[in-house]
Amino acid sequence: MNRERKTPERRSRKARRTRDTLAQAAFELVLDRGLREVTVEEIAEHADVDRRTFSRYFTSKEAAVLDSVRGDGDRINDALRARPAGEPPLTAYRRAVLDWLEGPGAEAWHRRPRIFELLVLAEREPTLYAAFHHIRVDAQEDSVAIVAQRLGTDPRQDLRPAVTVAAGAGALLAAQAAWVRGSCPEELPRLVEQAFDALSAELFAQIPAGPASHSTTEGNGTS
């Protein structure tokens, strides 16, 4: 009985090791040589498996390269589930992101070797950027469900969960974009705080009066 139970567990561990080895091979080869200079066959060979094995775990080299960041959305969502029930939804999302960034056991991007390089590359390579976008969308769908549960509402009928997550994820994306275009990897937490601060009431304050530079009547000769 124990032997029968251990066999699937052993297979699962072996599969996880194979996947991790492929992902690490893709990560290192692509960052060292560039996305377009690396083939799936080379990744498989580097991991000491064949092409068919690669295809069992990943649909593309982009998916393999990004496997190292796929779990970050899950980490943020786990932190979101753990936030106090009484927190406003956007505050809870912000705190969840900061918990991921600042937690002593967290593997946030600015603490993980070469993730900065990976996200810089994703900004330049359209197929890698598209694959990363899909990862973000999957994580955000889970976030919407979590916020809806916190509010006790149906996200198909109530837009608040989707709006909350769109705002919070947009702030994180803006911080990420500023981060990869800068030159200081350790700046990510400060940029995230700055991006969420931009969602404060000041953003909704009345714009000071000034010239209507985009007026449709400007320059039409009327008085």
Side-chain angles (χ1 to χ4, degrees), residues 76 79 92-102 168 172 192 196:
I76 292 171
Y93 191 94
R94 174 178 183 160
R95 293 300 178 190
V97 171
L98 294 176
D99 287 346
W100 165 65
L101 285 170
E102 299 172 355
L172 179 57
V192 168
F196 274 97

Side-chain angles (χ1 to χ4, degrees), residues 5-196:
R5 186 168 58 249
K6 287 181 180 179
T7 298
E9 294 174 356
R10 190 178 299 116
R11 288 174 181 167
S12 178
R13 289 195 300 270
K14 182 178 179 181
R16 181 71 254 181
R17 286 196 299 268
T18 301
R19 181 186 181 94
D20 290 345
T21 300
L22 282 164
Q24 187 63 29
F27 184 84
E28 292 174 356
L29 287 172
V30 166
L31 289 185
D32 288 344
R33 292 167 45 191
L35 182 69
R36 302 179 192 186
E37 303 302 320
V38 175
T39 66
V40 167
E41 288 77 11
E42 288 174 313
I43 294 170
E45 181 179 358
H46 197 76
D48 198 25
V49 299
D50 57 24
R51 168 64 187 262
R52 183 180 300 178
T53 300
F54 177 95
S55 299
R56 283 207 300 267
Y57 294 96
F58 298 109
T59 57
S60 66
K61 61 183 177 182
E62 288 85 355
V65 173
L66 291 168
D67 197 58
S68 58
V69 297
R70 182 173 295 277
D72 291 303
D74 294 335
R75 294 182 184 98
I76 292 171
N77 283 330
D78 287 344
L80 180 58
R81 289 187 187 93
R83 296 305 306 169
E87 277 186 339
L90 188 55
T91 299
Y93 191 94
R94 174 178 183 160
R95 293 300 178 190
V97 171
L98 294 176
D99 287 346
W100 165 65
L101 285 170
E102 299 172 355
E107 293 183 332
W109 293 334
H110 62 299
R111 293 177 178 167
R112 216 178 311 162
R114 306 195 77 179
I115 294 298
F116 181 82
E117 293 177 55
L118 175 63
L119 298 185
V120 168
L121 184 63
E123 288 283 317
R124 298 200 305 258
E125 292 288 353
T127 58
L128 198 59
Y129 187 87
F132 189 36
H133 173 72
H134 284 298
I135 291 173
R136 288 198 303 263
V137 168
D138 289 344
Q140 289 168 29
E141 287 178 356
D142 290 341
S143 298
V144 170
I146 295 167
V147 172
Q149 186 175 25
R150 290 173 62 88
L151 292 173
T153 190
D154 183 349
R156 295 169 297 182
Q157 305 295 330
D158 188 339
L159 289 177
R160 290 178 298 165
V163 170
T164 296
V165 173
L172 179 57
L173 180 59
Q176 174 204 320
W179 182 55
V180 300
R181 291 166 190 163
S183 58
C184 298
E186 69 278 3
E187 284 284 275
L188 182 60
R190 183 188 66 80
L191 290 169
V192 168
E193 288 274 26
Q194 184 178 338
F196 274 97

